[in-house]
Amino acid sequence: MSMNKLILGSLTLLSVIFPSCAKEIVEPVDEPVNNEEVKPQPQQGKVIVVYFSATGTTQKAAKEIATATNGQLVEIQPEQKYTSADLDWHDNNSRTSKEMNDASARPSIKNEKLSLNDVQIVFIGYPIWWNQAPRVINTFIDANDLKGKKIILFCTSGSSSIDGSLRSLRDTYPTLNIVQGKNMNGMSKSSIESWVKSLGL
C-alpha cells in the first residue's frame, strides 16, 4: 500500500470516529428526576374561623381549627370587655343576664364588618350562655353578608350541648346555610383534626 493511500485511509477513519465522540460530549445530560409528590397548596381566604371568647377557652379551640383548616383566625372583640361581674349568671342584674334575657340585644363589637368576598366557609365559635350563643354573635352575623357561605358552628360550655344555640341561630337566620354544630369540650388536637377532615376540609 502506498504512503498516500495509508494517510488517506487514516484521515477517513478519524473523520468517522471524532464527530461521533464530539456528538456524545455536547449532548445535554438529563437532570435527575424528582419523584417527590407535589402537594396542592390550600386556597388562601377560603376558610375563616371567627370566634368570641370571654375567658380564653373558646379561643384555644378556634386556634386548633384555624391550624387544621389553614383558615384565617378572627376574634370578635366587644367594645366593652366582659368582667367577672358581667359573667355572673347567678346575678339577674349582671350584664350577661340582661343581654341573654333580651333577644334583641346587640352588644357593640370593634371589628364589626369583615371582608368576606373570597371566603367560602365560615366557622363561628362561642361559649354557651343560657343555652344560647352570646348576643355578640348576633352582632357579628347581622353586620356581615354570610349568604351563600357554608357556616359551621362550634362551642365550648360547662355542660350544655350546642343544640339549643344551633336551633336558635337557624331560626333567627333562616336564609343562612348553617350546616353543622360541634361542642369542642374535651377534644384533643388530633380529634379536632379528624373532625375537620370529616367535613371534607
Side-chain angles (χ1 to χ4, degrees), residues 110-129:
K110 294 180 180 179
N111 50 339
E112 187 174 82
K113 195 170 182 62
L114 302 179
S115 177
L116 302 173
N117 292 334
D118 61 343
V119 174
Q120 299 174 20
I121 299 171
V122 181
F123 285 84
I124 301 179
Y126 47 85
I128 295 293
W129 289 357

Side-chain angles (χ1 to χ4, degrees), residues 33-176:
V33 177
N34 184 1
N35 292 322
E36 183 179 352
E37 180 182 356
V38 178
K39 297 180 180 180
Q41 295 298 312
Q43 294 180 338
Q44 296 298 320
K46 179 181 178 182
V47 177
I48 189 169
V49 182
V50 182
Y51 73 94
F52 164 67
S53 183
T55 62
T57 303
T58 306
Q59 182 184 57
K60 293 178 182 178
K63 287 182 176 180
E64 294 290 357
I65 293 172
T67 298
T69 60
N70 197 32
Q72 179 186 358
L73 186 66
V74 176
E75 180 182 7
I76 297 174
Q77 301 178 22
E79 286 283 359
Q80 179 184 350
K81 289 186 177 182
Y82 289 89
T83 65
S84 297
D86 292 335
L87 299 173
D88 185 2
W89 57 276
H90 294 289
D91 182 0
N92 292 331
N93 291 315
S94 71
R95 177 183 171 191
T96 51
S97 293
K98 291 179 179 179
E99 288 178 358
M100 298 313 295
N101 284 323
D102 180 5
S104 64
R106 297 293 185 269
S108 298
I109 59 178
K110 294 180 180 179
N111 50 339
E112 187 174 82
K113 195 170 182 62
L114 302 179
S115 177
L116 302 173
N117 292 334
D118 61 343
V119 174
Q120 299 174 20
I121 299 171
V122 181
F123 285 84
I124 301 179
Y126 47 85
I128 295 293
W129 289 357
W130 284 260
N131 203 36
Q132 301 295 320
R135 301 302 182 197
V136 291
I137 298 300
N138 297 90
T139 305
F140 169 77
I141 295 176
D142 289 349
N144 291 277
D145 183 8
L146 301 179
K147 290 182 180 178
K149 304 184 188 303
K150 184 177 182 180
I151 301 171
I152 303 171
L153 305 180
F154 65 97
C155 76
T156 58
S157 70
S159 59
S160 303
S161 72
I162 199 172
D163 296 343
S165 64
L166 178 60
R167 286 193 300 268
S168 179
L169 290 174
R170 280 176 170 170
D171 290 342
T172 305
Y173 305 100
T175 61
L176 297 185

